[in-house]
Amino acid sequence: MERDAYNERLKELRKEMGLTQTELARQIGATQRQISFWESGQIEPGIFWLIKLADFFDISIDYLVGRN
């Protein structure tokens, strides 16, 4: 996974929807801390979370991780 693309893309998508990290976390069943770690690159989400995020934002996982 290309970290810089993923981190920036997640943050960009969240902000485009006008959501805080806490609001996004509530929407997908995660914690604000997880969102923060993902956006900062401290940890990478597993496939379960990639699917949840892609479904929530109505995008492909490839787009989310910067593969396009």
Side-chain angles (χ1 to χ4, degrees), residues 26 40 49:
R26 284 187 190 137
S40 67
W49 293 111

Side-chain angles (χ1 to χ4, degrees), residues 14 18-25 35:
R14 177 179 60 78
L19 298 171
T20 64
Q21 289 181 346
T22 301
E23 291 166 335
L24 174 57
I35 304 298

Side-chain angles (χ1 to χ4, degrees), residues 24-55:
L24 174 57
R26 284 187 190 137
Q27 291 290 325
I28 66 167
T31 66
Q32 181 275 325
R33 188 174 179 187
Q34 284 174 289
I35 304 298
S36 176
F37 284 164
W38 297 338
E39 287 186 358
S40 67
Q42 291 179 306
I43 61 172
E44 293 180 354
I47 191 67
F48 173 83
W49 293 111
L50 290 173
I51 292 168
K52 293 279 261 185
L53 288 163
D55 286 349

Side-chain angles (χ1 to χ4, degrees), residues 9-23:
R9 185 129 323 148
L10 177 58
K11 189 182 293 186
E12 176 184 301
L13 289 164
R14 177 179 60 78
K15 288 183 176 186
E16 282 177 5
M17 292 190 72
L19 298 171
T20 64
Q21 289 181 346
T22 301
E23 291 166 335

